[in-house]
Amino acid sequence: MTQTSEAAAVVPQPPKPGRGGRRRVHRAWFVAAVTFVTIIGAAAFRSVPGLLIDPLHDEFDWSRGTISAAVSVNLALYGLTAPFAAALMDRFGIRRVVAVALTVIALGSGLTVWMTAAWQLMLCWGLLVGLGSGSMALAFAATVTNRWFTERRGLVTGILTAASASGQLIFLPLLSWIVERHDWRPAAVTVALAALAVVPFVWLLLRDHPADVGLKPYGATEFVPKPAPVPGAARRAVTVLLSAARTGPFWLLAGTFAICGASTNGLLQTHFVPAAHDHGMPLTTAASLLAVIGVFDVVGTIASGWFTDRFEARRLLAVYYALRGVSLLFLPLLLVTPSVQPPMIFFIVFYGLDWVATVPPTLALCREHYGEDSAIVFGWVLASHQVGAALVAFLGGVARDTFGSYDVVWYASGALCAVAALMALVIRRRGAGSGVEAVA
């Protein structure tokens, strides 16, 4: 191929008008749709841990602390893998990394069917599923958003973040029904099959960069060439961390997001179902309530993305954490009855709207302060989210074994959310014209 023909191959072509002179929908929205469906498929595995605590305790006589420790390893690796996954996507491409991650999730979940010892739970559900899910974490959504969109990034971030909640909505009632009627093993197999089913869609439909199809990112005024693969993915992830760690906003974002993880994935997602079951609520009812949180999580996260495009991100974070903390302080009073009363419905709706509404403004602040390295920085911030989640997932199980209830965990998490609200307000606003707090 001549040099002229090679240049012609990468020159973006203007979208052809459709019937009636209307312009075609930008390819970025189709990529976002594939990403949404992919995250939904991968979200199945996140629905399982809270459903397995009681069945595994009954079958193997493992303590809740032991089972929660495996969940803790899963959550920690989910976060710690994310920044390296973002760098690997820069090196090897989104499609390859995500396809391999889904396969690892399927392998880890499927192997749990044959486990007989607690260390095998740690290996399969903790290590394998944790590594796979970390590569499918929000860094995936951040990378897609950064590459394919220059406008509507807050909205797209909210939509892709909501995909995880949508997966929870789809799979929680189904998996809880399977666990109650057919034991936990068929539920684990269902998770494995759900992850594998998404792999062909990722490989055939997802594209790494707009330049791959000769397009500009959505909202861009100029064509953006596809960057060359970046070698040394692990080294780059560590370098970005060391540079970001020298700035104040990084520690404030990491601290607030650690509390976010502690009060969502580590607390409610892991322990709400067994806590409600302690008070006589049927497993499927408790799981359905958690799934309803997913319904309103979708609404709240998309709305948060819309708000993030229009309002100051740090103030949004402060409001979100303050409201979440207040709601958690009331939860022990709502769990005293096995029936679902109107106050519990109100809590589910209120908490659902706030569940991961923190993601769009947190990601916006990462972009504001760290520019082109924001996806990797956000990966490290997400790592703190999952470390917080892992800590509370483990301590929640220990508290249940020690005190016979989860009340102390609800109250402590509510207080932590108040601290997060104050930390969010301390983050300094960076003007658009002041330059980027660069990460080398």
Side-chain angles (χ1 to χ4, degrees):
M1 184 180 289
T2 66
Q3 185 175 359
T4 303
S5 62
E6 288 177 351
V10 297
V11 172
Q13 301 297 321
K16 297 179 181 179
R19 184 175 297 178
R22 288 182 291 182
R23 296 168 69 88
R24 292 180 178 177
V25 176
H26 195 284
R27 179 67 175 266
W29 293 107
F30 292 103
V31 172
V34 173
T35 304
F36 185 89
V37 173
T38 301
I39 295 175
I40 284 179
F45 74 91
R46 296 183 62 193
S47 305
V48 174
L51 303 178
L52 298 187
I53 291 178
D54 285 338
L56 292 178
H57 173 73
D58 293 339
E59 178 171 339
F60 297 106
D61 199 29
W62 299 336
S63 72
R64 290 176 175 84
T66 299
I67 300 168
S68 297
V71 179
S72 179
V73 171
N74 176 296
L75 292 171
L77 287 176
Y78 176 91
L80 294 172
T81 305
F84 296 98
L88 286 172
M89 287 176 189
D90 287 343
R91 176 67 178 87
F92 298 105
I94 299 173
R95 285 196 304 169
R96 292 178 181 176
V97 173
V98 173
V100 171
L102 286 166
T103 303
V104 172
I105 290 171
L107 180 65
S109 181
L111 287 176
T112 58
V113 172
W114 291 283
M115 69 180 179
T116 56
W119 68 266
Q120 295 166 346
L121 178 66
M122 296 279 189
L123 174 64
C124 295
W125 207 264
L127 180 63
L128 292 179
V129 177
L131 290 174
S133 61
S135 301
M136 282 287 302
L138 291 173
F140 171 38
T143 302
V144 169
T145 304
N146 288 348
R147 290 186 181 184
W148 281 89
F149 293 85
T150 59
E151 292 182 356
R152 303 289 188 269
R153 280 179 168 176
L155 176 63
V156 175
T157 300
I159 292 172
L160 296 182
T161 304
S164 181
S166 300
Q168 175 177 295
L169 165 66
I170 293 169
F171 287 105
L172 258 179
L174 171 64
L175 293 173
S176 64
W177 180 84
I178 292 174
V179 170
E180 199 164 54
R181 298 291 184 88
H182 303 286
D183 198 24
W184 61 270
R185 287 179 177 82
V189 172
T190 302
V191 171
L193 294 177
L196 284 178
V198 183
V199 174
F201 292 96
V202 170
W203 195 255
L204 295 175
L205 301 177
L206 196 62
R207 291 294 179 268
D208 291 333
H209 197 278
D212 290 341
V213 289
L215 291 175
K216 296 179 290 186
Y218 179 82
T221 57
E222 297 180 356
F223 180 73
V224 179
K226 183 177 180 179
V230 181
R235 183 174 64 252
R236 185 184 174 210
V238 174
T239 300
V240 168
L241 170 63
L242 294 176
S243 298
R246 294 197 293 266
T247 65
F250 173 79
W251 292 106
L252 291 170
L253 289 169
T256 56
F257 225 39
I259 294 173
C260 179
S263 57
T264 53
N265 300 67
L267 184 65
L268 241 72
Q269 190 168 57
T270 304
H271 294 295
F272 177 80
V273 172
H277 194 54
D278 281 347
H279 293 276
M281 187 178 292
L283 184 67
T284 52
T285 302
S288 296
L289 287 175
L290 199 57
V292 172
I293 286 180
V295 177
F296 291 96
D297 183 11
V298 174
V299 177
T301 308
I302 294 175
S304 178
W306 188 86
F307 288 141
T308 302
D309 287 333
R310 290 160 176 80
F311 300 101
E312 191 177 348
R314 67 191 186 98
R315 296 188 184 275
L316 286 175
L317 282 180
V319 171
Y320 295 156
Y321 285 122
L323 293 177
R324 182 185 300 177
V326 171
S327 66
L328 285 173
L329 294 177
F330 284 96
L331 184 56
L333 301 176
L334 305 178
L335 286 173
V336 295
T337 174
S339 60
V340 180
Q341 302 295 326
M344 175 61 80
I345 297 297
F346 179 80
F347 169 83
I348 293 297
V349 173
F350 187 87
Y351 197 89
L353 291 172
D354 191 51
W355 180 280
V356 287
T358 55
V359 172
T362 300
L363 183 51
L365 287 168
C366 286
R367 290 196 195 102
E368 179 181 330
H369 288 276
Y370 303 105
E372 293 182 356
D373 286 321
S374 61
I376 297 178
V377 174
F378 181 71
W380 285 112
V381 172
L382 177 63
S384 71
H385 180 283
Q386 294 306 115
V387 169
L391 184 61
V392 171
F394 172 67
L395 292 179
V398 173
R400 172 61 178 81
D401 288 334
T402 303
F403 302 109
S405 79
Y406 288 98
D407 287 359
V408 66
V409 186
W410 307 130
Y411 292 132
S413 297
L416 283 175
C417 287
V419 174
L422 294 175
M423 292 173 66
L425 291 175
V426 174
I427 301 172
R428 293 181 179 179
R429 184 178 182 181
R430 190 169 186 84
S434 61
V436 176
E437 197 164 332
V439 180

